[in-house]
Structures are given as C-alpha cells and as structure tokens.
Amino acid sequence: MKLLQINKLYPPHLGGIENVIRDIAESVATHSAWQSDVLVCQEKGKRATEKINEVGVYRATSFGRLFSLPISLDFFSLFKKMTKNYDLILFHHPFPLASLARFLFLNKKKPLAIWYHSDIVRQKIFYWLVYPFLYLDLKATKVIFVSSRRLAEKSPLLKKFLNKCQVIPFGVDLSNYAQDYSLEVSSLKSQHGRFMLAVGRLVYYKGYQGLLEALKSAPGKLLIVGIGPLENKMKEYIKDNGLEDRVVIITSRPDNLIPYYQACEFLVFPSNARSEAFGLVQIEAMACGKPVINTDLPTGVPEVSLDGISGLTVPVGDGDKLSSAIKTLWENDELRIQLGHNAKQRTEEIYSREKFNEDLRRTLENIVK
C-alpha cells in the first residue's frame, strides 16, 4: 500500500501541522506493507528529494510565500506526476494549491482522505476565492480527519460534512517524557527561578498581546519560547510597561522543550482565533504533569485541557479572567499540583502517540480495502 501526504511544508520547518505529518509518515513507514511519502514545497528554493527515516520527501520548487501560501508552479507538475502512483492520497487542509491541483489533475476514482486542521480565518476575501475548491475536496473525500469533535461541529464548512468526520486526537511519544532531565531542569530553575511558560510562534492568533496585558495585574514570571513577526512589537510593549524583569522571550528554539515544561509552574495558552484548532503544546505540557490555562475557542483547544480538571479555561480576549487564572495557579500550590496530576493522567489515557498511530492506520487501511 502506498500513501502520499500533501501539505505546504515539512520538517525541519517548525510547526504543529508539520510535526503531525511527520509522525503519520514515519508511523506508516514502520510497517513493511506500506510505503509512505510526502509532497510539499520548499520554503524557498529549487526542487529537492530526500529520504528521512524511511519517508520519501519531495519538495517542489518555490519562490517564497504569499499570504502563507507557497508560490510554486513546480508543485502542480510533481502533483500530476506523482499522484498516479499511490493507492491513497491524504491532503492536509487548508492548502489551496492542493485543492486546485486535485481539481485539475487528480483521477476522480483515486481514494482521497483529508485532514482538516483549521478554518481560514483572517484572509476573508481569499477564503471566499478558495471556498468552492475546499468544498469540492470535502465532497469528494472518503473521510475527513479532525483532531476534535468541537472543531467539526463549530466550523462553518465542516459542519456540512459531519457524517464524514472522524475524530482522532493528536498524541505525543510518552516515552520521551519518562527520561531524566533533572540537570536541565535545575539549570533552568537556577537561571529563571519560578516561571510560567508559553510556547508558540509570535503571531496574532496566539494571543500574546493579551497575555502581556494580563501580566500587568497578575503575579509571576513568564518565559515565551517562539519566533515570529510580532517579536519586535512584543519587546517594545514589554519595555514600555516595565515588564523586562518578568517576561523573557526565547527566540532560539531549544532542541528539547521537555525540560522547560518540567521546570515551569504551568503553561499559558491564550490563543484568540479559530486558526488555533488544537494546540499540541498543551499535550506536551500535560505529559509533564503541568496544568494549562487555555481559552474557550470554538475549536478543540478547550477539549484538550479541561476547565477545572487539568487546568483553567478563560473566555477569549478576557484579560481580567486571564489575569485571575494566572494569579490562582501561581499562588495556589495545592490546586496547581492536583490539576497537573490530572493533566498527566489525561494525556496517558487519551493523547499517546501509540493510540493516535493505531487509530489512524486502521482507518487508512479501511479506506483502501
């Protein structure tokens, strides 16, 4: 059986979707009965082909990106050539180039599956231009994978195809979290003292501006690990509001984030738009026994860490409630420890990579039978 996944980019590009695609590809590749490849675009540069952990990675020539979309004619050429040779095509949406390529070149009898990661939220005019193609993709597919039921039910587009949606929550490799990182944790605590943690790209939908505003009336020190276009604006705000001693932005992403999760008191995940559909970093923190403060988005975000069980959930954009939640977890040791214990247990029961891989492979095999 030959599986081809199609997406914008692939690691080493940093991103939650890219990590999910790699996990799927490598999991499928471990089975001798499957061949697992991916078709993506270069961030910028000429076509390249390589083998990474038994996965064939085909990167189409790209001239860069516009509105987060690769500028690549070579993608269409590769798509037309490659898709003929696979038993199953798995699209990762939203990716309008793939939708257009399917419309133009894909054999309508070819088995197709779609992983729908999030709605297009900010580029409203662009969304309506690509909506017909997305709709036709979803109509043509055999199954639509989603990370949460809430995403399927709240998405204006997905709720038209609820009967095709199959929920498979993402997972993490729990064995990584059982290793001894005590030296790294001690070093971080020695350097930063007590701190809360936020992890993610410095972009609008991560809600960092609201988090910084909430810190003006909440206690504690914050470490933010991420890079992105809002870095300078955030640093200016930190300086202008006298938060230099309490907020540290780490733009050189560590090779391993687990020591940071283990050293922190809790994770703050203040995303403010539907572009945030799940939040893998929530699971990563929970696997380390840390509670999460998240927001009540109409996506899977508040389904991952549950309010009052594995963390605290606050209304989107409510700075006062976010400030209060931070104060509660920072000052209430007993509550923080109990929520952290529940968070770890929840991850082990629901969000293991082993369970994710088993559920996904079983469904993929059923599609091509």
Side-chain angles (χ1 to χ4, degrees), residues 172-354:
V172 294
D173 186 349
L174 295 177
S175 65
N176 292 335
Y177 296 83
Q179 298 179 33
D180 183 7
Y181 298 103
S182 55
L183 291 178
E184 294 93 332
V185 170
S186 295
S187 176
L188 286 169
K189 288 184 175 181
S190 175
Q191 181 180 359
H192 298 291
R194 288 185 71 202
F195 64 90
M196 69 193 87
L197 181 68
V199 178
R201 295 187 65 237
L202 309 182
V203 292
Y204 81 97
Y205 66 84
K206 293 295 181 180
Y208 289 135
Q209 184 62 39
L211 174 57
L212 294 177
E213 292 174 4
L215 275 180
K216 292 193 295 183
S217 57
K221 182 175 183 178
L222 169 68
L223 262 62
I224 302 175
V225 180
I227 59 174
L230 295 184
E231 177 184 345
N232 291 335
K233 182 178 180 181
M234 289 171 61
K235 286 182 175 179
E236 288 178 9
Y237 185 90
I238 290 167
K239 182 178 180 180
D240 292 344
N241 289 274
L243 295 171
E244 295 102 322
D245 294 336
R246 297 180 52 213
V247 181
V248 177
I249 300 178
I250 301 174
T251 55
S252 56
R253 185 180 175 95
D255 294 332
N256 187 356
L257 281 168
I258 294 177
Y260 284 81
Y261 293 124
Q262 291 185 350
C264 78
E265 299 292 337
F266 52 88
L267 179 78
V268 189
F269 194 68
S271 299
N272 59 12
R274 291 201 326 271
S275 306
E276 191 72 78
F278 188 84
L280 276 169
V281 296
Q282 295 190 96
I283 303 176
E284 294 171 356
M286 291 162 64
C288 294
K290 304 299 178 176
V292 176
I293 297 175
N294 61 20
T295 54
D296 192 22
L297 285 166
T299 66
V301 168
E303 279 189 7
V304 178
S305 177
L306 301 179
D307 184 37
I309 296 176
S310 55
L312 300 175
T313 300
V314 300
V316 177
D318 192 326
D320 291 338
K321 291 290 178 60
L322 178 58
S323 177
S324 177
I326 290 172
K327 185 175 188 297
T328 296
L329 287 192
W330 187 263
E331 296 179 349
N332 192 327
D333 295 344
E334 184 178 352
L335 176 63
R336 188 177 63 251
I337 292 170
Q338 182 59 54
L339 293 176
H341 172 79
N342 296 344
K344 185 174 183 179
Q345 186 176 44
R346 179 170 173 78
T347 305
E348 292 169 349
E349 292 174 355
I350 301 175
Y351 298 118
S352 73
R353 185 171 296 169
E354 183 179 12

Side-chain angles (χ1 to χ4, degrees), residues 77-264:
S77 176
L78 273 176
F79 182 98
K80 183 178 180 181
K81 178 181 178 181
M82 292 181 63
T83 51
K84 299 174 183 177
N85 303 319
Y86 291 83
D87 301 301
L88 176 63
I89 313 298
L90 175 58
F91 282 12
H92 290 269
H93 270 333
F95 183 20
L97 281 190
S99 294
L100 182 57
R102 185 202 69 83
F103 180 77
L104 294 174
F105 303 120
L106 190 64
N107 185 324
K108 300 303 183 287
K109 295 181 180 179
K110 180 74 67 173
L112 172 68
I114 290 174
W115 198 300
Y116 195 93
H117 292 274
S118 67
D119 292 323
I120 298 173
V121 178
R122 204 175 192 187
Q123 299 96 349
K124 289 183 170 57
I125 296 176
F126 180 65
Y127 171 74
W128 288 113
L129 290 174
V130 302
Y131 176 89
F133 297 101
L134 286 172
Y135 181 89
L136 290 173
D137 283 350
L138 296 174
K139 186 176 179 180
T141 189
K142 287 180 173 289
V143 63
I144 303 167
F145 295 110
V146 289
S147 56
S148 72
R149 190 69 187 175
R150 186 179 173 98
L151 172 61
E153 293 173 345
K154 298 292 185 179
S155 165
L157 183 55
L158 277 187
K159 63 185 181 182
K160 303 177 188 293
F161 300 96
L162 281 178
N163 61 316
K164 290 186 177 183
C165 291
Q166 177 160 339
V167 179
I168 300 183
F170 299 133
V172 294
D173 186 349
L174 295 177
S175 65
N176 292 335
Y177 296 83
Q179 298 179 33
D180 183 7
Y181 298 103
S182 55
L183 291 178
E184 294 93 332
V185 170
S186 295
S187 176
L188 286 169
K189 288 184 175 181
S190 175
Q191 181 180 359
H192 298 291
R194 288 185 71 202
F195 64 90
M196 69 193 87
L197 181 68
V199 178
R201 295 187 65 237
L202 309 182
V203 292
Y204 81 97
Y205 66 84
K206 293 295 181 180
Y208 289 135
Q209 184 62 39
L211 174 57
L212 294 177
E213 292 174 4
L215 275 180
K216 292 193 295 183
S217 57
K221 182 175 183 178
L222 169 68
L223 262 62
I224 302 175
V225 180
I227 59 174
L230 295 184
E231 177 184 345
N232 291 335
K233 182 178 180 181
M234 289 171 61
K235 286 182 175 179
E236 288 178 9
Y237 185 90
I238 290 167
K239 182 178 180 180
D240 292 344
N241 289 274
L243 295 171
E244 295 102 322
D245 294 336
R246 297 180 52 213
V247 181
V248 177
I249 300 178
I250 301 174
T251 55
S252 56
R253 185 180 175 95
D255 294 332
N256 187 356
L257 281 168
I258 294 177
Y260 284 81
Y261 293 124
Q262 291 185 350
C264 78

